Amino acid sequence: MTILTYPFKNLPTASKWALRFSIRPLSCSSQLRAAPAVQTKTKKTLAKPNIRNVVVVDGVRTPFLLSGTSYKDLMPHDLARAALTGLLHRTSVPKEVVDYIIFGTVIQEVKTSNVAREAALGAGFSDKTPAHTVTMACISANQAMTTGVGLIASGQCDVIVAGGVELMSDVPIRHSRKMRKLMLDLNKAKSMGQRLSLISKFRFNFLAPELPAVSEFSTSETMGHSADRLAAAFAVSRLEQDEYALRSHSLAKKAQDEGLLSDVVPFKVPGKDTVTKDNGIRPSSLEQMAKLKPAFIKPYGTVTAANSSFLGQILANFKAMDSDWFAENYMGRKTKVGLPPLEKFNNWGGSLSLGHPFGATGCRLVMAAANRLRKEGGQYGLVAACAAGGQGHAMIVEAYPK
């Protein structure tokens, strides 16, 4: 996904994103140096005097698909390139005015470790336009965006494209460490005797591959186990999780049917059909969901294939925010934050239903907030996400004053 941002004069991309709260024509670089934002007299604004407003111009994404489906024969840079191309087509921003491109990703393809650069070149950007890739677990795209905002705010850049990409259909699977060491040593051997000596050390268990695990290196805990542990710690029931999951999928399906997911751009998969929408949205019923067995902690866990995202969990966070004890012991507050109003929360679905490609989700979140503000006439949107290693990211986005 990719997003375009500039300071009213700034652009980033993610999955991709472009900052665009107010719609302004972007046909030449002089227009990217527009006048400072006009302060509204009736509403409080986050804009500050003498500080550039960094504006989201627009953002697009390819449809989020389940792994092993239509994208299974592609590489990550194919999807990132498609997002970049879609963004350029939608905004009509000339490639030449883009100062920098930043992408987030998590499980890197070794051949295209700087996927931002490969995607940019594939999309026709100049080799003089720098591009780099960041990784910060599930908030990688968030970091790409905030890095772009920082470059613009500091005056180093005017137009940034920030994005994120993840391809779970072809994750790197390595030889075992023993096998890798043996092959490297064989490559360095200078004589037949040295090679035969090394080959004699080979054992069949060397062939056991190292499969990637969606777990933290420091704790070896997977996201599913973490969700089950937190559900138990905060007394989140199986029914609460099923009800929330049903809400997410139902709202996502409604938003999809009503054409509200306007950041999605069609993607023609080479040799296959054109993909036009997310394929993980699966409304069900509480009765059907109740039949599923625990997916992680068996037989007593409460996280199932139906009430978790393609990976992740939010209800424990709600319980924590509504706890005075948690606020005092973990947040340095005397009183709880309180629950966010659910009627404002993920009204077009969330990662649980739309999908969570690690490196791209951050941009989807920002564009969902931006598009909802435009649609609903709101002023502020709050975006938040957690990440492996006990990290997190939050961002307030404001509709550009008309």
Side-chain angles (χ1 to χ4, degrees):
M1 172 158 197
T2 57
I3 295 181
L4 182 63
T5 58
Y6 64 73
F8 210 62
K9 235 176 124 165
N10 300 22
L11 298 177
T13 325
S15 290
K16 312 173 209 186
W17 64 274
L19 300 177
R20 154 186 90 178
F21 277 7
S22 74
I23 307 268
R24 304 294 176 98
L26 296 175
S27 58
C28 69
S29 58
S30 62
Q31 286 177 289
L32 297 179
R33 289 174 169 77
V38 176
Q39 302 279 338
T40 128
K41 295 181 179 178
T42 57
K43 290 185 177 180
K44 183 178 179 181
T45 176
L46 296 177
K48 295 181 174 60
N50 304 318
I51 293 185
R52 306 170 109 188
N53 281 328
V54 181
V55 183
V56 176
V57 177
D58 210 336
V60 303
R61 63 180 176 91
T62 58
F64 286 177
L65 303 187
L66 294 165
S67 63
T69 56
S70 296
Y71 296 160
K72 64 182 180 180
D73 296 324
L74 302 177
M75 292 179 68
H77 74 284
D78 293 321
L79 296 176
R81 180 182 65 238
L84 282 168
T85 303
L87 184 70
L88 293 172
H89 179 74
R90 176 171 291 189
T91 62
S92 298
V93 172
K95 293 188 286 287
E96 295 74 22
V97 306
V98 176
D99 298 314
Y100 211 109
I101 297 170
I102 311 167
F103 261 74
T105 195
V106 179
I107 303 178
Q108 295 183 343
E109 163 61 55
V110 177
K111 294 179 180 178
T112 57
S113 56
N114 187 2
V115 69
R117 181 63 167 175
E118 303 303 332
L121 294 175
F125 283 88
S126 167
D127 59 3
K128 295 179 175 61
T129 303
H132 80 262
T133 301
V134 299
T135 185
M136 202 173 181
C138 298
I139 54 175
S140 296
N142 307 62
Q143 184 57 52
M145 290 183 286
T146 53
T147 298
V149 168
L151 288 171
I152 291 169
S154 65
Q156 297 180 63
C157 296
D158 282 341
V159 181
I160 299 286
V161 172
V165 65
E166 205 70 40
L167 184 68
M168 303 292 287
S169 298
D170 185 27
V171 295
I173 298 175
R174 305 196 303 177
H175 279 294
S176 68
R177 185 158 195 157
K178 291 179 179 179
M179 191 65 191
R180 298 199 305 270
K181 186 175 184 302
L182 178 63
M183 289 190 292
L184 289 172
D185 289 343
L186 277 171
N187 194 49
K188 296 176 183 177
K190 299 190 182 332
S191 67
M192 181 60 70
Q194 289 177 325
R195 293 190 183 94
L196 291 174
S197 175
L198 287 168
I199 290 172
S200 69
K201 298 177 182 178
F202 170 78
R203 299 293 182 268
F204 279 108
N205 64 4
F206 287 14
L207 297 176
E210 289 184 3
L211 300 175
V214 185
S215 61
E216 292 191 12
F217 179 79
S218 57
T219 65
S220 297
E221 186 176 57
T222 67
M223 297 174 75
H225 284 95
S226 176
D228 249 329
R229 177 174 57 79
L230 290 171
F234 287 95
V236 181
S237 70
R238 166 73 180 268
L239 179 60
E240 286 178 292
Q241 294 175 70
D242 286 354
E243 288 175 340
Y244 183 83
L246 181 59
R247 173 186 183 273
S248 182
H249 281 280
S250 299
L251 290 174
K253 184 67 168 68
K254 183 174 183 290
Q256 189 179 67
D257 290 346
E258 293 178 0
L260 298 178
L261 306 181
S262 57
D263 55 334
V264 178
V265 292
F267 177 59
K268 176 66 173 71
V269 180
K272 298 182 181 179
D273 294 335
T274 298
V275 180
T276 60
K277 62 183 181 179
D278 308 319
N279 74 356
I281 301 173
R282 50 188 195 280
S284 183
S285 67
L286 290 176
E287 292 73 23
Q288 288 298 111
M289 294 168 72
K291 295 177 182 179
L292 295 178
K293 295 180 179 180
F296 299 98
I297 298 179
K298 304 173 183 179
Y300 303 113
T302 57
V303 177
T304 70
N307 63 29
S308 60
S309 73
F310 304 165
L311 289 159
Q313 224 270 24
I314 188 66
L315 294 183
N317 293 281
F318 283 177
K319 298 269 187 173
M321 293 174 68
D322 203 34
S323 165
D324 287 321
W325 179 89
F326 187 89
E328 184 176 347
N329 287 274
Y330 289 94
M331 301 179 69
R333 296 172 55 95
K334 293 182 179 180
T335 59
K336 64 187 180 184
V337 176
L339 287 174
L342 196 60
E343 66 272 13
K344 297 182 180 181
F345 194 85
N346 286 356
N347 284 0
W348 294 355
S351 292
L352 197 157
S353 50
L354 298 172
H356 175 36
F358 303 141
T361 289
C363 291
R364 182 196 65 76
L365 292 172
V366 168
M367 286 315 303
N371 287 331
R372 275 191 58 195
L373 289 175
R374 288 164 49 82
K375 175 72 174 177
E376 299 167 13
Q379 184 178 8
Y380 296 116
L382 176 63
V383 173
C386 65
Q391 302 183 104
H393 172 267
M395 175 187 290
I396 294 175
V397 292
E398 180 181 6
Y400 193 81
K402 295 181 179 180

